[in-house]
Amino acid sequence: MLNAKIPEGPLKEKWTHYKEHAKLVNPANRRKFEIIVVGTGLAGASCAASLAEQGYHVKSFCFQDSARRAHSVAAQGGVNAAKNYKNDGDNVYRMFYDTIKGGDFRSREANVYRLAECSLNLIDQSVAQGVPFAREYGGYLNNRSFGGVQVSRTFYARGQTGQQLLLGAYQALMRQVSVGKVQTFTRHEMLDLVVIDGKAAGIITRDLVTGKIERHAANAVVLATGGYGKIYYLSTLAMGCNGSAIWRAHKKGAFMAATSWIQIHPTSLPQSGSHQSKLTLMSESLRNDGRIWVPSKQGDQRLAVAIPENERDYYLERRYPAFGNLSPRDISSRAAKERIDAGHGVGAMKNAVYLDFSKAIREQGEAKIREKYGNLFRMYQKITGIDAYQEPMMISPAAHFTMGGLWVDYELMTTIPGLFALGEANFADHGANRLGANSLLQASVDGYFIAPYTIPNYLADEINVTRPSTDHPAFEEAEAAVRQQLEKLLAIKGTLSVDHFHKTLGALLYNKCGLSRNAEGLREAIGDIRALKDSFYRDLNVTGDDLLNSELEKAGRVADYFELAELMCLDALSREESCGAHFREEFQTKDGEAVRNDADYCFVSAWEWKGATTEHKLHREQLTFENVKLTVRSYK
């Protein structure tokens, strides 16, 4: 039975009640503990720095050559906080409700309210670190809107918010490195979790420069390794992003939750050919002033500027007048796909829609648009060669953020005691669809304000428990399994590259478990994934040896993707409803809107690994709503 450990009391008092009653570790005892934090993005860096500041010894791991190259730098648009600086009616409860509704009523009330509550502290923390948020003329911090809300609560640093927030967390982390409380391990990849007596006891890593396999023991392990959207191959994520850390933990007993809830972002640059390895994300903030449209005529070959207003379909404004171009991401992406599939797509591959700033430039002036979005327009021109001040941008839906991840309780602890998951690595706060600018918020809040309370609460009961030795048989067994897998991949000696399998898997998933799904397609996908996996272990060719070898790294990650992809399809197949990013074609209105089934599916699907040849076991965490009313999610 899953126990979310939600504190007693009214919603507004739960986090306060938890902090008042959480167990503490005194300063002398903190020095006895060692904590491993895997990942140095916003969640990982903030957690490692905060725990080290308290006096714990921390080991910080990342596979990049620098901790500040984590993928958090790519979140451009902003970070939400319910400070109501615009005096437009915002407050903590409204932000809580927007997030619950945006996630289509498939997230825990307690976790979401805590996210909104802690958002207030994050802005002050970031300003104190020197994050250069945009300011109004008088010096006050400025705000803008993001999709799914009707207030301005998004704080931003032009189009570099994630980078600036990460630099703040990185500085805090490196301060602790300089005083000897944090030890960093760059170019190290976690390849397995070690569990002793049912508790997380350490990890097995591979030095990506030398190929050396290493053992690291700890009293607690924190995974802050991001999401697995790169499973689609073409996505907005960096090439190195992967799901192996959480998947290896899953196979050691940590449940995976909401696995098929993967967000397709509506404002990516469209695919332009088969040569691409990733897609570029344009900030959702552009939808504040940009208007989205397609030609009303199918297959229209005219240039955008030659199409008159009365022959343009501003389909989001038409279908969702209350929110218009700031409709939530899942709805906006599906609406774009519907227009593209209906023959109204634009661009060389007819796979895009227009994002047009001509009206905003006429009304506000080009200088004002440059001030707000100049770096984004420069990036667009550098990539496409098109001046978006003169003609519309072209955008298209692309795989982006994973709402699914490791199941965690209110303390952010997985089903393995001592193993915590933060940020996008867990499933906790976003339900079936994440609202824009809540990603940076969750990662920061988890690391700065939640884990520093909940991890000590766990460690308080471990004071008299001896830290495991890396000579323990569990470490030997885990290391042997890692070596065996690496040797197996190198020994196949087939004729097909890792990228061939990744591309094939990604296209299969996007078509059958992407923006929309149906039972027949999902069953076909499971069979196709199994066949592709068999081919992988028969036909793969990994060049090089077991030393410095990026192909070997990729092969291990793609091997995990096959198993994860099958669970994604199983999860989608098991949920006979449409909610948020999970759109089952069998469950929609005549207007193409999602039909949610609260009577049968108002729960979180948590999956238990039962072995390579046995199907996963489903566990249900029933969701209860005492503070909001379950309603049909409408943005019209």
Side-chain angles (χ1 to χ4, degrees), residues 361-379:
I361 290 172
R362 286 196 306 270
E363 293 178 350
Q364 302 175 40
E366 185 175 315
K368 188 64 176 178
I369 299 303
R370 285 185 185 275
E371 179 186 332
K372 289 194 281 188
Y373 311 115
N375 60 319
L376 298 172
F377 276 60
R378 287 193 298 273
M379 180 173 73

Side-chain angles (χ1 to χ4, degrees), residues 267-313:
T267 56
S268 167
L269 298 191
Q271 181 183 1
S272 59
S274 60
H275 62 284
Q276 287 174 276
S277 59
K278 76 175 297 293
L279 299 173
T280 301
L281 177 66
M282 300 304 292
S283 170
E284 183 173 312
S285 62
L286 292 169
R287 294 202 277 154
N288 274 279
D289 290 301
R291 300 179 71 197
I292 296 172
W293 63 276
V294 292
S296 299
K297 177 184 174 183
Q298 290 179 327
D300 199 322
Q301 299 294 326
R302 291 176 291 176
L303 295 175
V305 293
I307 301 175
E309 279 289 317
N310 62 355
E311 296 182 35
R312 299 180 178 189
D313 179 13

Side-chain angles (χ1 to χ4, degrees), residues 364-500:
Q364 302 175 40
E366 185 175 315
K368 188 64 176 178
I369 299 303
R370 285 185 185 275
E371 179 186 332
K372 289 194 281 188
Y373 311 115
N375 60 319
L376 298 172
F377 276 60
R378 287 193 298 273
M379 180 173 73
Y380 183 82
Q381 185 166 21
K382 184 175 182 180
I383 294 171
T384 67
I386 295 172
D387 182 355
Y389 296 106
Q390 302 300 321
E391 56 183 287
M393 291 183 180
M394 285 184 282
I395 57 172
S396 183
H400 180 55
F401 186 93
T402 50
M403 281 76 67
L406 291 177
W407 183 91
V408 292
D409 58 25
Y410 187 76
E411 298 181 321
L412 306 184
M413 188 158 67
T414 70
T415 48
I416 299 176
L419 176 67
F420 296 80
L422 276 56
E424 196 178 351
N426 73 38
F427 87 102
D429 291 356
H430 307 297
N433 172 60
R434 178 176 67 77
L435 290 184
N438 270 353
S439 172
L440 294 177
L441 176 64
Q442 184 210 357
S444 300
V445 163
D446 283 0
Y448 284 127
F449 305 126
I450 300 175
Y453 282 95
T454 62
I455 293 175
N457 184 67
Y458 166 77
L459 293 176
D461 293 328
E462 300 290 306
I463 292 173
N464 295 319
V465 178
T466 303
R467 185 188 311 151
S469 167
T470 53
D471 293 330
H472 192 283
F475 276 93
E476 295 181 10
E477 182 181 339
E479 181 180 333
V482 164
R483 291 185 182 279
Q484 182 180 14
Q485 172 70 350
L486 294 172
E487 291 167 1
K488 181 179 181 180
L489 294 171
L490 285 167
I492 296 172
K493 302 301 181 185
T495 59
L496 299 175
S497 69
V498 180
D499 282 351
H500 164 80

